[in-house]
Short mmCIF file of all heavy atoms in Angstrom, two decimals:
data_model
loop_
_atom_site.label_atom_id
_atom_site.label_comp_id
_atom_site.label_asym_id
_atom_site.label_seq_id
_atom_site.Cartn_x
_atom_site.Cartn_y
_atom_site.Cartn_z
N ASN T 1 -5.65 0.50 5.07
CA ASN T 1 -4.33 0.16 4.53
C ASN T 1 -4.47 -0.16 3.05
O ASN T 1 -5.39 -0.87 2.65
CB ASN T 1 -3.74 -1.04 5.26
CG ASN T 1 -3.43 -0.75 6.71
OD1 ASN T 1 -2.80 0.26 7.02
ND2 ASN T 1 -3.89 -1.62 7.59
N PHE T 2 -3.53 0.34 2.24
CA PHE T 2 -3.64 0.06 0.81
C PHE T 2 -3.42 -1.42 0.53
O PHE T 2 -4.17 -2.04 -0.23
CB PHE T 2 -2.66 0.91 0.01
CG PHE T 2 -2.90 0.83 -1.47
CD1 PHE T 2 -3.84 1.64 -2.08
CD2 PHE T 2 -2.22 -0.09 -2.26
CE1 PHE T 2 -4.10 1.54 -3.45
CE2 PHE T 2 -2.45 -0.20 -3.62
CZ PHE T 2 -3.40 0.61 -4.22
N PHE T 3 -2.40 -1.99 1.13
CA PHE T 3 -2.14 -3.42 0.98
C PHE T 3 -2.69 -4.15 2.20
O PHE T 3 -2.20 -3.95 3.31
CB PHE T 3 -0.65 -3.69 0.81
CG PHE T 3 -0.08 -3.10 -0.45
CD1 PHE T 3 0.66 -1.94 -0.40
CD2 PHE T 3 -0.30 -3.72 -1.67
CE1 PHE T 3 1.18 -1.39 -1.57
CE2 PHE T 3 0.21 -3.18 -2.83
CZ PHE T 3 0.95 -2.01 -2.79
N SER T 4 -3.71 -4.95 1.99
CA SER T 4 -4.38 -5.58 3.12
C SER T 4 -4.90 -6.96 2.74
O SER T 4 -5.45 -7.15 1.65
CB SER T 4 -5.54 -4.71 3.61
OG SER T 4 -6.44 -4.44 2.56
N THR T 5 -4.70 -7.90 3.64
CA THR T 5 -5.24 -9.24 3.42
C THR T 5 -6.67 -9.29 3.91
O THR T 5 -7.11 -8.45 4.69
CB THR T 5 -4.41 -10.29 4.18
OG1 THR T 5 -4.48 -10.02 5.58
CG2 THR T 5 -2.95 -10.26 3.74
N ALA T 6 -7.41 -10.30 3.46
CA ALA T 6 -8.81 -10.43 3.85
C ALA T 6 -8.96 -10.66 5.34
O ALA T 6 -9.93 -10.21 5.96
CB ALA T 6 -9.46 -11.57 3.07
N ASN T 7 -8.02 -11.37 5.94
CA ASN T 7 -8.15 -11.72 7.35
C ASN T 7 -7.73 -10.60 8.30
O ASN T 7 -8.49 -10.22 9.21
CB ASN T 7 -7.31 -12.97 7.66
CG ASN T 7 -7.84 -14.20 6.95
OD1 ASN T 7 -9.05 -14.33 6.73
ND2 ASN T 7 -6.96 -15.12 6.60
N SER T 8 -6.56 -10.05 8.08
CA SER T 8 -6.02 -9.08 9.04
C SER T 8 -6.27 -7.62 8.67
O SER T 8 -6.18 -6.74 9.51
CB SER T 8 -4.52 -9.30 9.21
OG SER T 8 -3.84 -9.00 8.00
N GLY T 9 -6.56 -7.36 7.41
CA GLY T 9 -6.74 -5.97 6.98
C GLY T 9 -5.43 -5.22 6.84
O GLY T 9 -5.41 -3.99 6.70
N LYS T 10 -4.32 -5.94 6.85
CA LYS T 10 -3.00 -5.32 6.67
C LYS T 10 -2.05 -6.37 6.11
O LYS T 10 -2.41 -7.54 5.94
CB LYS T 10 -2.47 -4.80 8.01
CG LYS T 10 -2.25 -5.90 9.04
CD LYS T 10 -1.73 -5.32 10.36
CE LYS T 10 -1.51 -6.44 11.38
NZ LYS T 10 -0.99 -5.91 12.66
N ILE T 11 -0.84 -5.94 5.83
CA ILE T 11 0.21 -6.87 5.39
C ILE T 11 1.45 -6.56 6.21
O ILE T 11 1.79 -5.39 6.41
CB ILE T 11 0.48 -6.73 3.87
CG1 ILE T 11 1.43 -7.82 3.39
CG2 ILE T 11 1.00 -5.36 3.52
CD1 ILE T 11 1.60 -7.85 1.88
N THR T 12 2.09 -7.57 6.74
CA THR T 12 3.28 -7.37 7.56
C THR T 12 4.52 -7.72 6.75
O THR T 12 4.46 -8.49 5.78
CB THR T 12 3.26 -8.25 8.82
OG1 THR T 12 3.31 -9.64 8.44
CG2 THR T 12 1.98 -8.00 9.63
N HIS T 13 5.66 -7.14 7.15
CA HIS T 13 6.88 -7.43 6.39
C HIS T 13 7.30 -8.88 6.57
O HIS T 13 7.88 -9.47 5.66
CB HIS T 13 8.00 -6.47 6.80
CG HIS T 13 8.55 -6.69 8.17
ND1 HIS T 13 8.00 -6.10 9.29
CD2 HIS T 13 9.59 -7.43 8.61
CE1 HIS T 13 8.69 -6.47 10.36
NE2 HIS T 13 9.66 -7.28 9.97
N GLN T 14 6.96 -9.48 7.72
CA GLN T 14 7.29 -10.90 7.90
C GLN T 14 6.53 -11.77 6.91
O GLN T 14 7.11 -12.66 6.26
CB GLN T 14 6.97 -11.34 9.33
CG GLN T 14 7.83 -10.72 10.41
CD GLN T 14 7.19 -9.48 11.01
OE1 GLN T 14 6.32 -8.86 10.38
NE2 GLN T 14 7.61 -9.12 12.20
N TYR T 15 5.23 -11.52 6.80
CA TYR T 15 4.39 -12.31 5.88
C TYR T 15 4.83 -12.09 4.43
O TYR T 15 4.94 -13.05 3.64
CB TYR T 15 2.93 -11.92 6.05
CG TYR T 15 2.00 -12.56 5.06
CD1 TYR T 15 1.77 -13.94 5.07
CD2 TYR T 15 1.34 -11.80 4.10
CE1 TYR T 15 0.93 -14.54 4.15
CE2 TYR T 15 0.48 -12.39 3.18
CZ TYR T 15 0.28 -13.76 3.21
OH TYR T 15 -0.57 -14.34 2.30
N LEU T 16 5.12 -10.84 4.09
CA LEU T 16 5.53 -10.53 2.72
C LEU T 16 6.83 -11.25 2.38
O LEU T 16 6.95 -11.86 1.31
CB LEU T 16 5.70 -9.02 2.55
CG LEU T 16 6.15 -8.54 1.17
CD1 LEU T 16 5.17 -8.97 0.09
CD2 LEU T 16 6.33 -7.03 1.16
N ASN T 17 7.80 -11.20 3.29
CA ASN T 17 9.08 -11.85 3.01
C ASN T 17 8.95 -13.37 2.94
O ASN T 17 9.63 -14.02 2.14
CB ASN T 17 10.12 -11.45 4.07
CG ASN T 17 10.78 -10.12 3.75
OD1 ASN T 17 11.04 -9.80 2.59
ND2 ASN T 17 11.06 -9.34 4.78
N GLU T 18 8.08 -13.94 3.76
CA GLU T 18 7.84 -15.39 3.69
C GLU T 18 7.31 -15.78 2.31
O GLU T 18 7.73 -16.78 1.71
CB GLU T 18 6.85 -15.81 4.78
CG GLU T 18 7.45 -15.81 6.19
CD GLU T 18 6.40 -16.09 7.25
OE1 GLU T 18 5.22 -16.33 6.87
OE2 GLU T 18 6.74 -16.06 8.44
N CYS T 19 6.38 -14.97 1.82
CA CYS T 19 5.82 -15.23 0.48
C CYS T 19 6.87 -15.05 -0.60
O CYS T 19 6.94 -15.84 -1.56
CB CYS T 19 4.64 -14.30 0.22
SG CYS T 19 3.17 -14.63 1.22
N ILE T 20 7.71 -14.03 -0.46
CA ILE T 20 8.75 -13.77 -1.44
C ILE T 20 9.72 -14.95 -1.50
O ILE T 20 10.12 -15.39 -2.59
CB ILE T 20 9.50 -12.46 -1.12
CG1 ILE T 20 8.58 -11.26 -1.38
CG2 ILE T 20 10.78 -12.34 -1.96
CD1 ILE T 20 9.16 -9.93 -0.96
N HIS T 21 10.09 -15.50 -0.34
CA HIS T 21 10.98 -16.67 -0.32
C HIS T 21 10.36 -17.83 -1.11
O HIS T 21 11.03 -18.50 -1.90
CB HIS T 21 11.24 -17.12 1.12
CG HIS T 21 11.94 -16.11 1.98
ND1 HIS T 21 12.82 -15.19 1.46
CD2 HIS T 21 11.88 -15.87 3.31
CE1 HIS T 21 13.28 -14.44 2.44
NE2 HIS T 21 12.73 -14.83 3.57
N THR T 22 9.07 -18.04 -0.87
CA THR T 22 8.36 -19.15 -1.51
C THR T 22 8.32 -18.98 -3.03
O THR T 22 8.62 -19.91 -3.79
CB THR T 22 6.94 -19.27 -0.96
OG1 THR T 22 7.00 -19.51 0.45
CG2 THR T 22 6.18 -20.40 -1.64
N TYR T 23 7.94 -17.78 -3.47
CA TYR T 23 7.80 -17.55 -4.91
C TYR T 23 9.16 -17.48 -5.61
O TYR T 23 9.27 -17.84 -6.79
CB TYR T 23 7.01 -16.27 -5.16
CG TYR T 23 5.54 -16.42 -4.84
CD1 TYR T 23 4.93 -15.62 -3.88
CD2 TYR T 23 4.77 -17.37 -5.49
CE1 TYR T 23 3.58 -15.75 -3.58
CE2 TYR T 23 3.41 -17.52 -5.20
CZ TYR T 23 2.83 -16.71 -4.24
OH TYR T 23 1.50 -16.86 -3.93
N ALA T 24 10.19 -17.02 -4.91
CA ALA T 24 11.53 -17.00 -5.50
C ALA T 24 11.99 -18.42 -5.80
O ALA T 24 12.54 -18.71 -6.87
CB ALA T 24 12.51 -16.31 -4.56
N LYS T 25 11.74 -19.31 -4.85
CA LYS T 25 12.10 -20.72 -5.05
C LYS T 25 11.31 -21.31 -6.20
O LYS T 25 11.85 -22.06 -7.03
CB LYS T 25 11.85 -21.50 -3.76
CG LYS T 25 12.36 -22.93 -3.78
CD LYS T 25 12.17 -23.60 -2.43
CE LYS T 25 12.71 -25.03 -2.45
NZ LYS T 25 12.55 -25.68 -1.12
#
């Protein structure tokens, strides 16, 4: 996967959106 975390080897839309909420705030 091009976008991948160290732990899972992938990125999910749930995780991405959670991060986006945090950084937007």
Side-chain angles (χ1 to χ4, degrees):
N1 294 310
F2 190 84
F3 296 102
S4 56
T5 62
N7 294 329
S8 66
K10 63 181 180 179
I11 187 173
T12 65
H13 70 273
Q14 293 94 338
Y15 174 67
L16 179 59
N17 277 323
E18 287 174 2
C19 291
I20 290 174
H21 298 330
T22 300
Y23 288 120
K25 188 175 181 179

